[in-house]
Amino acid sequence: MITAAVLAGGKSSRFGQNKLIAPLLGELLLEKTVKSALLVADEVLIVGKGVKPKEFKGAKWIVEPFTGYSPLYGILTALKEARGERVLILPGDCPLIRTEVLRLLTEKEPPAFIERNYLFAVLKKENFPLVEEMVREGVHRVRELHRRLKSREIKVKEVKLFDFKGVSFTNLNYFDEYRNLFLGREDEKANGRGAD
């Protein structure tokens, strides 16, 4: 059984508002990521803070029991709550993730991550004690987690077979990135500058 954990507990401080509920082609930005996860996992958990922004059909909202902000809090919570032995980890702000990339990750022997994209990973439920130890130590770098787990690195060139331009890893940290990527395209087409 594979559990996908969509991390939705960030502050969005650089974005200026909760980016995961920003509208995107008639849905919330977070919904795009969740829908992709639903295509490859037996169980989908959305790990966030506070009240869920809406119902997500087929996914379960899990509240992180931490007041601070760290991706390791979300990973720890996901590993604790997951029913699957394999846990696919991905950030909630990657609406362009390709299903084929997620399948590639789920087929790899965990722990593994995509080169330079430490939050795109597959872990084992049994990795929970090590993550818990890191949180107790106050170590919050996901890169350090992979170092301690001796995670395998999946090279970007392997991912490019499914996603040549690497758009799957487009995460939106700033409002300008969101605007340019999703709102700017229509403006460019209207002005004759867009190319498909």
Side-chain angles (χ1 to χ4, degrees):
M1 180 176 186
I2 297 170
T3 296
V6 180
L7 304 182
K11 284 199 290 190
S12 300
S13 56
R14 292 174 287 182
F15 196 82
Q17 64 189 50
N18 183 351
K19 62 183 168 183
L20 298 178
I21 61 169
L24 175 61
L25 303 174
E27 297 178 303
L28 303 182
L29 189 144
L30 177 61
E31 281 181 277
K32 298 290 186 190
T33 307
V34 170
K35 284 184 175 183
S36 295
L38 285 165
L39 295 173
V40 299
D42 304 298
E43 173 187 49
V44 175
L45 305 177
I46 307 167
V47 185
K49 302 269 189 210
V51 179
K52 62 183 167 186
K54 67 170 285 180
E55 281 300 319
F56 294 94
K57 187 176 180 183
K60 181 179 178 185
W61 181 266
I62 304 290
V63 177
E64 291 178 8
F66 302 95
T67 55
Y69 294 90
S70 168
L72 255 60
Y73 294 154
I75 293 169
L76 181 65
T77 304
L79 292 176
K80 181 179 180 184
E81 299 291 332
R83 291 183 313 168
E85 290 304 313
R86 285 178 181 236
V87 182
L88 173 68
I89 306 291
L90 65 151
D93 63 348
C94 58
L96 302 179
I97 187 76
R98 299 259 167 93
T99 307
E100 297 85 0
V101 173
L102 294 181
R103 280 205 181 96
L104 172 73
L105 259 173
T106 60
E107 291 168 0
K108 296 297 181 181
E109 183 62 32
F113 68 95
I114 294 178
E115 177 184 13
R116 296 187 314 270
N117 294 280
Y118 303 108
L119 281 178
F120 292 87
V122 60
L123 303 177
K124 295 179 183 177
K125 185 170 176 67
E126 67 190 43
N127 296 141
F128 176 85
L130 189 140
V131 181
E132 186 177 42
E133 178 183 318
M134 287 180 64
V135 167
R136 271 198 309 268
E137 292 173 1
V139 179
H140 294 279
R141 296 187 61 89
V142 179
R143 184 178 186 173
E144 176 61 14
L145 169 65
H146 289 300
R147 189 191 69 73
R148 291 187 188 191
L149 289 172
K150 297 181 174 59
S151 297
R152 282 172 282 295
E153 183 179 71
I154 302 164
K155 296 295 184 186
V156 169
K157 67 180 180 183
E158 191 173 347
V159 174
K160 284 188 175 187
L161 295 171
F162 308 105
D163 182 2
F164 182 74
K165 292 184 178 180
V167 297
S168 289
F169 311 114
T170 303
N171 67 337
L172 305 170
N173 291 317
Y174 297 94
F175 186 79
D176 284 349
E177 292 170 337
Y178 163 77
R179 186 186 67 229
N180 292 340
L181 189 60
F182 298 109
L183 304 179
R185 284 187 177 167
E186 293 304 316
D187 292 342
E188 288 177 5
K189 286 180 185 176
N191 292 324
R193 291 188 306 235
D196 289 326

